[in-house]
Amino acid sequence: MTEPEFTVGIEEEYLLVDKSTRDLCNDPPGTMVEECAALCGGQVTPEFLRSQIEVGTRPCRTIAEARADLESLRRTVIQVAGRYGLAPIAASTHPFGNWHEQLPTPKERYNILEHDMQAAARRLLICGMHVHVGIADNELRIDLMNQFNYFLPHLLALSCSSPFWEGENTGLLCYRLTVFDALVRTGIPEQFSSYGEYERHVNILKAAGVIEDASKIWWDLRPSARYPTLEARIMDVCTDLDDAACLAAFVVCIIRMLYRLRKDNQRWRTYARMLVAENRWRAMRYGADEGLIDFGKGEIVPFRTLLEELLQLVEEDAAALDCAAEVAHARTILQRGTSAHRQVRAYEQALSAGMSKQEALRAVVDMLVAGTDPDMQGPE
């Protein structure tokens, strides 16, 4: 078997806010997105709602290269949006934005999505981070997807950035997935014995006319319908650029680790979706604060312990892929908290300082605007 190239690409979705009101801009000038796209060679595109914008790196050989490309894309969007009095925030929900007030992007694919899903689609005022890892062999992509499922909650726990919804602290560190899970064909992926079996299932849905292609399958992890990649989609978008590089590094390192096991005629044990889904929920609710279930032990293990085990598992792969520092940054995330932790902390500090609820929510937006910018350090 030829070893995969393990190229990496990162996609991030941002929310566009008005700098004066801190509310979402539901109808930004079309020239803004066009200008971003022209400056970035087509790496910036509109999203389902006009208040969203998406960036995507080129296929990169290293995490450092992907981080640099992502940083350049963020800078461009920030600079162009600023000329229109707007700013992007890298967070999976807006602290007080209302989905009823948002306008869809006029595009055939999005029109079909809204028609098919109705209010479930119109509520998609959420943003995510997707990491593509280059694996040319179809059978290998499916085999690694089956095994990777176990690690999806770990990635989510380190990326949470959606504690607020429509002005309320939801009590969840990742509220985004409660919105996204309202769509069909989401969540933990199915297990397949081969790429052929996966294709047969997709073809049933295509023949029935419910999907046009596999891009309408929105699992937390999927074989990309556009590229020869395995695409991890469970993560919230990371406000901090170093956090984003860390999560991308973990994705590619875990995939390489699983490939190494396969070369040695070993494999990671696969677990039932109901078990992985339980840890997924714990990551949504608590992030890394309350630990995840160790299925072998049948008990909840502190996330710090699980993280150290995971770092040891991928140590060889992080060295081979030259991303040991990026992976080790997970300890920093655990120590100072995810974006969700910092948002809630900023909100509570603002209330304690005598601000009104709305003023405190605007303070959270200010923190996110600063934290999204690679040149600025948001308040802790």
Side-chain angles (χ1 to χ4, degrees):
M1 181 182 298
T2 302
E3 181 165 336
E5 294 184 346
F6 299 115
T7 53
V8 61
I10 305 171
E11 297 170 349
E12 287 187 327
E13 299 160 349
Y14 310 134
L15 294 164
L16 292 168
V17 299
D18 185 302
K19 284 185 175 183
S20 60
T21 66
R22 280 77 156 193
D23 201 352
L24 290 163
C25 176
N26 65 4
D27 193 17
T31 53
M32 192 204 79
V33 178
E34 293 171 3
E35 189 176 342
C36 287
L39 290 170
C40 297
Q43 290 177 254
V44 179
T45 57
E47 248 298 329
F48 174 63
L49 298 174
R50 297 186 203 179
S51 54
Q52 299 171 303
I53 192 168
E54 181 178 359
V55 304
T57 70
R58 299 180 299 272
C60 299
R61 293 288 177 180
T62 66
I63 292 296
E65 182 186 341
R67 186 197 183 284
D69 197 13
L70 191 60
E71 180 175 351
S72 176
L73 291 169
R74 281 197 184 197
R75 288 183 195 278
T76 300
V77 174
I78 289 168
Q79 291 167 3
V80 174
R83 292 198 282 270
Y84 294 87
L86 307 177
I89 58 172
S92 283
T93 55
H94 185 277
F96 60 90
N98 191 311
W99 67 268
H100 294 93
E101 299 172 357
Q102 305 313 306
L103 301 174
T105 298
K107 186 177 179 181
E108 183 179 4
R109 178 181 175 84
Y110 298 148
N111 294 341
I112 293 172
L113 175 65
E114 183 179 10
H115 176 270
D116 290 348
M117 303 295 176
Q118 293 293 306
R122 292 192 290 272
R123 290 178 66 238
L124 290 179
L125 187 56
I126 54 175
C127 294
M129 170 186 175
H130 305 161
V131 178
H132 291 258
V133 177
I135 303 171
D137 186 273
N138 290 336
E139 297 297 338
L140 181 60
R141 277 207 303 281
I142 292 296
D143 186 41
L144 295 181
M145 182 178 77
N146 290 338
Q147 298 175 69
F148 194 105
N149 281 353
Y150 174 84
F151 300 100
L152 290 170
H154 301 67
L155 299 174
L156 176 60
L158 290 168
S159 71
C160 297
S161 69
S162 52
F164 293 98
W165 183 250
E166 295 188 346
E168 297 296 329
N169 182 355
T170 65
L172 278 67
L173 294 182
C174 170
Y175 188 78
R176 162 184 147 260
L177 289 180
T178 70
V179 178
F180 197 60
D181 287 348
L183 301 184
V184 68
R185 304 183 295 278
T186 58
I188 304 297
E190 298 284 352
Q191 299 274 326
F192 298 98
S193 61
S194 66
Y195 187 78
E197 184 187 16
Y198 164 73
E199 278 196 313
R200 285 194 295 275
H201 282 75
V202 171
N203 287 337
I204 289 172
L205 299 182
K206 289 170 63 176
V210 297
I211 63 173
E212 298 83 42
D213 53 53
S215 69
K216 291 292 184 71
I217 295 173
W218 300 297
W219 295 328
D220 296 337
L221 179 72
R222 69 179 183 183
S224 172
R226 297 176 59 194
Y227 311 110
T229 63
L230 191 57
E231 180 187 3
R233 302 165 46 85
I234 195 170
M235 291 87 70
D236 273 5
V237 61
C238 297
T239 306
D240 187 275
L241 191 62
D242 288 331
D243 292 8
C246 173
L247 269 296
F250 256 126
V251 171
V252 68
C253 284
I254 291 170
I255 288 176
R256 188 181 186 277
M257 180 271 293
L258 295 174
Y259 173 77
R260 279 195 297 111
L261 290 179
R262 177 179 168 124
K263 282 202 307 181
D264 294 335
N265 292 318
Q266 302 177 53
R267 61 186 295 107
W268 196 263
R269 180 175 175 181
T270 55
Y271 292 92
R273 290 181 69 194
M274 64 175 284
L275 295 180
V276 179
E278 196 70 31
N279 270 346
R280 182 182 188 264
W281 162 250
R282 293 187 64 81
M284 292 167 59
R285 170 66 177 87
Y286 304 110
D289 293 346
E290 297 293 333
L292 300 177
I293 304 168
D294 183 310
F295 302 138
K297 295 178 180 178
E299 61 186 39
I300 296 172
V301 174
F303 193 86
R304 187 173 301 278
T305 301
L306 297 174
L307 177 59
E308 292 303 322
E309 291 175 353
L310 184 54
L311 286 168
Q312 187 174 0
L313 276 173
V314 302
E315 183 177 10
E316 176 183 333
D317 310 284
L321 297 169
D322 195 23
C323 60
E326 288 88 350
V327 167
H329 178 74
R331 295 191 180 103
T332 300
I333 297 176
L334 202 59
Q335 180 180 4
R336 58 102 158 104
T338 62
S339 173
H341 289 99
R342 286 175 284 159
Q343 289 179 54
V344 172
R345 192 156 59 236
Y347 177 70
E348 292 176 346
Q349 288 173 349
L351 291 177
S352 298
M355 290 187 184
S356 68
K357 179 179 176 181
Q358 195 61 31
E359 289 171 335
L361 290 168
R362 286 198 291 268
V364 176
V365 176
D366 288 340
M367 187 209 78
L368 291 171
V369 169
T372 300
D373 190 338
D375 295 325
M376 298 179 68
Q377 177 63 54
E380 291 295 328

